[in-house]
């Protein structure tokens, strides 16, 4: 095998690799000998099919596999012999005109990770913004729960807006009952807007024991095609009319929620508020930390990594802009700031590589148990019968495993650095803490932090602050050796595996026909 370096500029490398024909031929012959005993052919006893016939039958596929194996082996040797750390998968191309019996001429181009000197951890200073949980905040939280747990008491007389009625209803289309349009003793709050338009309004004035027939037209976009846009009737029987009652906040109220006392409820809510503000405090500290790291380190980063990061940022921005009131204006606005977002992508990649170097230099790692927990959490988004396939997919795909690992690894490195830093505390209000998080960093625009669990609501692009400054998504526990792309013209097996491992989620169960879609 011959390897010749053709480009060595900055982080870019290029090579020509020649795989001798005899190497590929030897692999083919060895594979034919291996499978010949299992080949069956009419006129021959099992295991007695001549090698030349086996080659004639399966030679093309065997040669293709042998060529791919030789290319992978060549890439492994290239990376090892030249001590390369590929930033992304190398781009491998098989020379035009290649055919069996000839040497395989490959052109390989790639970008390598930069060499980063282990940064000094001395001199890190962080300010911890602490928000004490005030009693009135706990009281407000309790009152908010009470308002959500609206109680109703039986009343005499006709139902009014805001009252709750307990009814039986039977829906009919052209005089015939339709599926999902029937319920018994269903609670309905008049004016709550939870049923299809026109349903609740026609129950105003109804009394306990009264029967009534109402006419309702389903919305044109209703989820059940047989009802969409159709005029229907509902036979109503009212069992009870209830008026809103004031929720008394006491031990009995707490017991209705499954707790022992009001004091226990207050303690739980206080703990939740403390946990919430602690998360915001950490976010502010992380931003300070990454700002200091970014200010103190400037090195070249692989352009392909920057482009990949920018592509994710841009996809998110355009998706959010498309859901704004004026999509065209929102898209035009982010388009005008495209260069700013590209700089954010570069910052993210640089910080990710820097955190990776710090983590490796200081023995930070994600344990096997933690990794198993991450995979288990990710698998929950799939149907139970598909989760095992997802586990197998992660085991077979190092890139998928790295994507799952990276956020946790980054957080562990950040926690390590916070422990090393000199931290001073300052008491602030929640508004002041929120303002510190939303403040611009180095004049950059905001890109929502990449969080896998919850989907953040879309924000207007003009109002975005630099949330990206607190993220460094490229951090890896250990840089993985990127496998070479297959030069042979085969289907993208990785893409097929990905599609197979990501099955469609179950559709939610249909609601009763009378209830409006959420």
């Amino acid at each position: 095998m011959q390897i010749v370096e053709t480009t060595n500029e900055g982080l870019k490398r290029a090579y020509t690799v020649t795989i001798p024909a005899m190497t590929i031929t030897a692999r083919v012959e060895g594979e034919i000998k291996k499978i010949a005993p299992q080949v069956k052919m009419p006129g021959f006893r099992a295991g007695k099919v001549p090698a030349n016939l086996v080659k004639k039958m399966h030679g093309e596929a065997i040669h293709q596999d042998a060529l791919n194996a030789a290319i992978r082996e060549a890439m492994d040797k290239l990376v090892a012999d030249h001590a390369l750390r590929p930033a992304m998968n190398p781009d491998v191309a098989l020379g035009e005109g290649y055919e069996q019996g000839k040497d395989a001429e490959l052109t390989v181009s790639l970008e390598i990770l930069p060499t980063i000197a282990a940064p000094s951890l001395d001199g890190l200073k962080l300010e911890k913004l602490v928000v004490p949980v005030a009693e009135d905040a706990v009281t407000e939280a309790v009152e908010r729960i009470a308002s959500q747990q609206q109680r109703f008491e039986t009343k005499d007389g006709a139902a009014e807006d805001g009252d709750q009625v307990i009814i039986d209803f039977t829906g009919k289309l052209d005089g015939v009952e339709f599926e999902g349009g029937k319920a018994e003793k269903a609670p309905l709050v008049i004016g709550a807007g939870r049923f299809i338009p026109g349903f609740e309004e026609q129950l105003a004035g109804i009394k306990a024991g009264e029967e009534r027939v109402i006419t309702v037209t389903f919305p044109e976009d209703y989820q059940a095609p047989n009802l969409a846009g159709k005029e229907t009737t509902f036979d109503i029987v009212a069992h009870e009319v209830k008026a809103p009652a004031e929720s008394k906040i006491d031990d009995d109220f707490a017991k209705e929620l499954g707790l022992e006392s009001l004091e226990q409820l207050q303690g739980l809510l206080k703990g939740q508020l403390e946990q919430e503000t602690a998360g915001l405090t950490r976010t502010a500290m992380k931003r300070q930390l990454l700002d200091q790291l970014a200010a103190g380190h400037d090195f070249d980063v692989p352009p392909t990594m920057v482009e990949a990061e920018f592509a994710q940022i841009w996809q998110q921005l355009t998706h959010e802009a498309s859901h704004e009131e004026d999509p065209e204006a929102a898209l035009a606005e982010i388009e005008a700031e495209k260069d700013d977002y590209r700089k954010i992508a570069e910052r993210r990649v640089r910080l990710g590589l820097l955190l990776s170097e710090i983590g490796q230099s200081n023995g930070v790692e994600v344990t096997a148990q933690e990794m198993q927990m991450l995979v288990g959490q990710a698998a929950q988004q799939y149907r139970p019968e598909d989760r095992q396939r997802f586990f197998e997919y992660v085991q077979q795909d190092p890139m998928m495993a790295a994507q799952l690992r990276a956020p946790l690894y980054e957080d562990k490195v950040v926690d390590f650095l916070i422990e090393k830093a000199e931290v001073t505390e300052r008491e602030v209000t929640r508004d002041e803490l929120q303002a510190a998080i939303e403040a611009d960093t180095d004049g950059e625009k905001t890109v929502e932090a990449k969080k896998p669990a919850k989907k953040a609501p879309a924000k207007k692009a003009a109002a975005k602050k630099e949330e990206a400054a607190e993220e460094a998504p490229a951090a890896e526990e250990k840089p993985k050796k990127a496998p070479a792309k297959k030069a042979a013209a085969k289907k993208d097996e990785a893409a097929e595996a990905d599609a197979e491992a990501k099955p469609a989620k179950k559709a939610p169960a249909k609601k009763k026909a009378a209830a409006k879609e959420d």
Side-chain angles (χ1 to χ4, degrees):
M1 184 185 304
Q2 182 181 10
I3 299 175
V4 178
E5 185 177 71
T6 57
T7 300
N8 188 331
E9 299 174 357
L11 300 177
K12 294 183 178 180
R13 300 288 186 272
Y15 303 87
T16 59
V17 179
T18 303
I19 304 175
M22 64 178 67
T23 300
I24 302 170
T25 300
R27 283 182 174 274
V28 171
E29 298 299 332
E31 186 63 22
I32 289 175
K33 289 181 180 179
K34 180 179 176 181
I35 69 170
Q38 290 124 28
V39 174
K40 295 180 181 180
M41 183 180 293
F44 295 93
R45 287 182 297 163
K48 298 299 182 179
V49 180
N52 63 325
L53 291 180
V54 175
K55 187 173 183 178
K56 185 176 181 180
M57 291 175 58
H58 305 286
E60 186 63 34
I62 293 173
H63 175 266
Q64 191 71 75
D65 290 340
L67 176 60
N68 286 331
I71 290 174
R72 287 195 298 269
E73 185 178 281
M75 292 304 98
D76 289 343
K77 180 173 177 57
L78 170 64
V79 170
D81 289 356
H82 291 74
L84 300 175
R85 296 198 304 160
M88 303 284 281
N89 284 347
D91 185 12
V92 182
L94 180 63
E96 293 184 9
Y98 170 76
E99 58 186 39
Q100 293 188 37
K102 289 186 177 181
D103 293 346
E105 301 285 348
L106 308 176
T107 57
V108 182
S109 58
L110 70 156
E111 291 172 359
I112 61 172
L113 295 173
T115 301
I116 306 170
S120 172
L121 305 184
D122 298 330
L124 286 176
K125 295 183 178 180
L126 302 174
E127 184 178 48
K128 184 177 183 180
L129 304 179
V130 180
V131 180
V133 177
E135 290 302 320
D136 57 349
V138 177
T139 300
E140 182 181 341
V142 174
E143 292 174 346
R144 187 162 53 249
I145 291 177
S147 67
Q148 295 169 351
Q149 301 289 325
Q150 180 64 64
R151 294 174 55 249
F152 293 91
E153 294 179 347
T154 302
K155 67 173 243 184
D156 294 327
E160 302 174 338
D161 192 51
D163 285 350
Q164 182 186 71
V165 291
I166 309 300
I167 61 172
D168 295 344
F169 62 80
T170 302
K172 297 179 181 179
L173 176 63
D174 297 330
V176 180
E177 292 184 22
F178 54 82
E179 184 180 358
K182 187 173 184 177
E184 296 181 353
K185 294 187 177 180
L188 178 152
V189 178
I190 298 176
R194 294 178 181 174
F195 279 56
I196 56 177
F199 193 103
E200 296 171 11
E201 293 85 341
Q202 297 184 61
L203 295 183
I206 200 169
K207 297 180 181 179
E210 182 179 342
E211 297 184 7
R212 187 177 290 188
V213 177
I214 64 174
T215 300
V216 179
T217 300
F218 278 81
E220 293 289 345
D221 59 350
Y222 193 70
Q223 60 185 354
N226 64 312
L227 297 175
K230 300 293 181 62
E231 183 179 278
T232 60
T233 61
F234 281 88
D235 297 339
I236 307 293
V237 177
H239 292 283
E240 195 173 3
V241 177
K242 297 183 176 183
E246 182 179 352
S247 294
K248 188 176 181 181
I249 300 177
D250 53 15
D251 286 343
D252 290 337
F253 170 70
K255 289 177 182 178
E256 289 178 4
L257 299 175
L259 302 175
E260 294 180 357
S261 64
L262 177 60
E263 182 180 359
Q264 184 184 18
L265 173 61
Q266 292 169 332
L268 289 173
L269 292 174
K270 184 175 183 179
Q272 290 178 2
L273 291 171
E274 289 174 341
Q275 186 176 17
E276 185 179 339
T277 55
L280 295 175
T281 294
R282 186 186 183 281
T283 297
M285 290 181 70
K286 181 178 179 181
R287 166 164 296 187
Q288 295 174 46
L289 172 65
L290 296 186
D291 283 348
Q292 290 184 42
L293 292 176
H297 299 85
D298 186 18
F299 50 84
D300 291 338
V301 293
T304 51
M305 292 184 71
V306 175
E307 284 303 312
E309 186 65 32
F310 173 75
Q312 292 190 37
I313 292 173
W314 197 247
Q315 182 182 27
Q316 180 183 340
L317 288 171
T318 53
H319 173 75
E320 291 182 358
S322 67
H323 288 75
E324 295 290 349
E325 292 182 6
D326 188 347
E328 290 187 7
L331 287 169
E333 187 167 359
I334 63 172
E335 186 70 38
E337 299 168 339
K338 202 167 188 176
D339 289 342
D340 293 334
Y341 291 117
R342 198 175 296 278
K343 290 177 181 177
I344 291 174
E346 182 176 335
R347 170 190 164 105
R348 281 185 171 187
V349 172
R350 183 174 290 110
L351 283 170
L353 294 175
L354 187 58
L355 288 177
S356 178
E357 183 62 36
I358 292 172
Q360 292 180 61
S361 300
N362 292 276
V364 179
E365 62 179 15
V366 173
T367 66
Q369 184 177 4
E370 289 171 332
M371 190 63 199
Q372 187 175 9
M373 180 183 66
L374 288 174
V375 177
Q377 291 173 344
Q380 293 305 308
Q381 65 182 302
Y382 303 114
R383 298 175 300 184
E385 60 266 30
D386 294 317
R387 290 171 188 168
Q388 183 57 40
R389 280 199 297 161
F390 177 76
F391 276 103
E392 295 170 357
Y393 174 61
V394 174
Q395 291 174 349
Q396 296 167 6
D397 189 338
M399 297 301 289
M400 172 59 79
Q403 288 178 14
L404 292 175
R405 182 191 299 109
L408 176 59
Y409 183 69
E410 177 187 312
D411 280 341
K412 295 187 77 166
V413 176
V414 168
D415 289 339
F416 168 78
L417 290 172
I418 289 176
E419 290 179 3
K420 293 289 184 181
E422 179 184 334
V423 179
T424 58
E425 291 191 4
R426 178 163 64 93
E427 190 172 300
V428 296
T429 65
R430 186 186 176 100
D431 289 342
E432 290 173 331
L433 175 58
Q434 195 68 47
I437 293 172
E438 294 176 355
D440 281 3
T441 301
D442 296 336
E444 295 177 348
K445 305 287 181 184
T446 296
V447 176
E448 294 285 0
K450 295 188 298 185
K451 304 292 184 184
K454 297 183 180 179
K455 182 179 179 182
K459 299 180 181 178
K460 291 186 177 180
K464 289 176 177 285
K465 302 298 178 186
E466 174 44 71
E467 227 168 276
E470 64 164 278
E471 294 298 319
E476 293 277 354
E477 183 177 356
K478 291 182 181 178
K480 303 291 180 183
K481 185 166 61 177
K485 295 179 181 177
K486 291 185 178 180
K490 298 184 79 177
K491 290 183 179 179
D492 188 347
E493 294 176 2
E496 292 176 353
D498 184 51
E500 184 181 7
K502 297 181 179 179
K505 298 178 184 177
K506 282 185 176 178
K510 291 184 179 179
K511 298 182 178 180
K512 291 185 181 294
K516 187 175 66 176
E517 292 182 84
D518 291 335

